[in-house]
Amino acid sequence: MTVNVETSGLTRSFRRRKAVAGVDLALGAGVYGLLGPNGAGKTSLLRVLGTVIPPSSGELRLLGRDPAGHAERREIRRRLGYLPQDLGYYAGFTVVEFVEYIALLKEMPRQRVPRAVAAAVEDVGLGDRARSKLRTLSGGMLRRVGIAQAIVNEPELLLLDEPTAGLDPEQRVQFRGLMRRMGERATVIVSTHLVEDVGAACDRVGLMSDGRLVFTGTPDELSARGAGTGVGDAPLERGYSAVLAEIRT
Ligand SMILES: Nc1ncnc2c1ncn2[C@@H]1O[C@H](COP(=O)(O)OP(=O)(O)OP(=O)(O)O)[C@@H](O)[C@H]1O
């Protein structure tokens, strides 16, 4: 297995608060779901893995490279895709213009860009809005533009921060299919509050609390943790609440 994400004792502090507090990961291809309560550190971890902010301490290797070095970081950025929680965009750009702009920032060869942009826009079901200006799109459609810009370079490492927030049920189902397809060859890390996303699309799941990974395993293993004890309407919800209850006592 090619390990695309390797961390050991990874921390990220904001003043005295440790948003990420000693995370160990070794991830190859597949879809890894990141669950956890508000403020658990999911976004901070994804930002570190996306080379948006550096770690405060610990070991970090992405796609076999050390992001602390300028040239290596640039190489990593070419090969990763990142959907932040709040994606900034230019309202006057069309869907195609925006995704193209990101493709060029990622230093994709120019001749590959038009076809890659068209494919990414189709993949998120926005083919019929390709020429629409971003200001005319709904919230869920903008989220899908965000997903398109994250996948346009066929990333080997894809980081998605709450990608399904605002998507309608049909689009969520489509999107899970896309995640599974991407996970066949890439490492996909997806932070979500929707346990259905985890059950349907993730091979493995990590549960964060207070900056730490307090559970890592398969969705079935997380469900099993809640058997007969946890609070929730679905097995994964019960597993989630049982693990959190255990560490809080
Ligand atoms: N730029 C920052 N400056 C100061 N504190 C921050 C910053 N970013 C995150 N934090 C703090 O770090 C902790 C983890 O936040 P983070 O956004 O990573 O959590 P999260 O799991 O993504 O939460 P949510 O589910 O609400 O999105 C929180 O206590 C947050 O207030």
Side-chain angles (χ1 to χ4, degrees):
M1 165 177 103
T2 310
V3 177
N4 287 331
V5 174
E6 209 174 351
T7 76
S8 161
L10 189 76
T11 72
R12 170 66 205 204
S13 304
F14 295 105
R15 297 177 184 272
R16 257 168 299 160
R17 171 175 285 278
K18 274 192 182 164
V20 179
V23 164
D24 301 329
L25 282 175
L27 301 176
V31 185
Y32 186 78
L34 207 50
L35 292 171
N38 291 138
K42 304 178 296 296
T43 292
S44 302
L45 177 60
L46 288 180
R47 292 178 73 208
V48 172
L49 299 181
T51 75
V52 178
I53 52 174
S56 304
S57 63
E59 305 291 322
L60 173 61
R61 283 188 83 74
L62 299 167
L63 302 170
R65 289 170 169 72
D66 177 0
H70 177 76
E72 290 185 79
R73 192 162 61 241
R74 193 165 161 177
E75 161 82 16
I76 292 165
R77 286 177 179 165
R78 266 201 290 268
R79 294 164 57 195
L80 75 75
Y82 176 44
L83 172 69
Q85 209 162 31
D86 295 304
L87 177 69
Y89 59 89
Y90 302 109
F93 274 27
T94 66
V95 172
V96 162
E97 281 166 351
F98 180 69
V99 178
E100 206 169 68
Y101 175 69
I102 300 291
L104 294 171
L105 284 181
K106 291 193 175 163
E107 302 177 351
M108 284 182 75
R110 272 177 189 275
Q111 70 279 13
R112 277 185 48 210
V113 169
R115 188 176 295 181
V117 170
V121 170
E122 279 297 329
D123 271 343
V124 299
L126 283 178
D128 58 339
R129 300 302 296 262
R131 305 284 159 194
S132 299
K133 287 208 182 344
L134 297 181
R135 71 163 61 90
T136 68
L137 300 185
S138 73
M141 288 176 188
L142 282 173
R143 205 69 195 135
R144 282 147 61 191
V145 174
I147 295 165
Q149 65 78 33
I151 61 173
V152 68
N153 58 333
E154 294 187 35
E156 291 155 76
L157 173 58
L158 177 60
L159 307 166
L160 302 165
D161 202 344
E162 296 191 31
T164 52
L167 261 56
D168 65 50
E170 256 175 339
Q171 282 300 327
R172 282 223 306 270
V173 170
Q174 292 240 340
F175 173 67
R176 289 178 196 150
L178 176 64
M179 272 203 294
R180 284 194 298 266
R181 284 202 303 282
M182 297 289 301
E184 284 168 16
R185 40 166 224 91
T187 300
V188 181
I189 308 181
V190 53
S191 127
T192 180
H193 287 294
L194 298 170
V195 290
E196 310 97 276
D197 288 343
V198 169
C202 299
D203 311 293
R204 291 176 66 73
V205 54
L207 172 49
M208 281 188 89
S209 174
D210 280 331
R212 291 178 305 120
L213 266 178
V214 294
F215 172 89
T216 308
T218 63
D220 283 347
E221 285 164 350
L222 181 57
S223 295
R225 291 285 288 271
T229 54
V231 181
D233 296 323
L236 271 168
E237 267 173 10
R238 288 192 283 276
Y240 172 96
S241 63
V243 171
L244 290 179
E246 249 169 63
I247 57 153
R248 283 169 182 162
T249 50

